[in-house]
Amino acid sequence: MTRTVLLIEDNEQNRYLATFILERNGYHVSAAPEGASGIELARTLRPDVILLDIQLPVMNGYEVARVLRTIDELRTTTIVAVTSYAMVGDREKALAAGCNGYLEKPIDPETFVGDLERIVSLHVAAFGARR
Ligand code: MN
């Protein structure tokens, strides 16, 4: 089954790189540049995975994650926080906001998909298959 990834990321170069790597690995990728449109897209798309930048304009990624977790259809969607602000407590904040894992930027093209799939596998194992 091809997985669908929703990328919520305001930086165009980061969107381009992540999309390129994911599509090369067989994923369908949709993207939004900020939280509000990302949330609306998530509602209609019901992606398997949401890659969520934490540093976003208007709503930050923690706020976006909390809203996403109020949407019933997205209750078991894997949400992965992505941030370049690797400060102590960030991982815990992301998990507390409803994210299931955490990746640091800049993303490493060699390890990105493997790291992402490890987070998804652990989450799916914990919650069971969604479909
Ligand atoms: Mn950003």
Side-chain angles (χ1 to χ4, degrees):
M1 186 189 79
T2 304
R3 287 184 179 277
T4 300
V5 176
L6 172 61
L7 185 60
I8 305 177
E9 161 68 75
D10 61 319
N11 181 281
E12 191 179 353
Q13 280 182 301
N14 291 343
R15 276 203 308 274
Y16 179 84
L17 178 61
T19 300
F20 178 81
I21 295 168
L22 288 165
E23 287 182 344
R24 199 179 54 182
N25 282 273
Y27 287 85
H28 284 303
V29 182
S30 292
E34 42 71 42
S37 58
I39 290 163
E40 284 316 300
L41 198 52
R43 268 186 219 280
T44 53
L45 191 66
R46 297 183 59 185
D48 300 292
V49 180
I50 298 173
L51 272 174
L52 178 60
D53 181 27
I54 293 301
Q55 304 302 128
L56 289 169
V58 190
M59 291 175 82
N60 68 36
Y62 302 120
E63 294 172 301
V64 174
R66 282 191 284 268
V67 173
L68 289 170
R69 283 301 178 219
T70 68
I71 300 169
D72 201 48
E73 292 83 351
L74 303 176
R75 198 169 42 86
T76 60
T77 301
T78 306
I79 304 177
V80 180
V82 186
T83 183
S84 50
Y85 282 68
M87 296 197 292
V88 175
D90 276 4
R91 186 176 178 281
E92 289 69 22
K93 273 167 74 178
L95 298 180
C99 297
N100 305 109
Y102 181 95
L103 293 175
E104 284 179 19
K105 283 197 282 195
I107 62 171
D108 180 347
E110 296 297 317
T111 59
F112 175 59
V113 171
D115 290 344
L116 177 64
E117 289 178 351
R118 198 166 307 114
I119 294 169
V120 173
S121 295
L122 288 169
H123 182 233
V124 169
F127 276 86
R130 189 163 68 91
R131 289 172 176 153

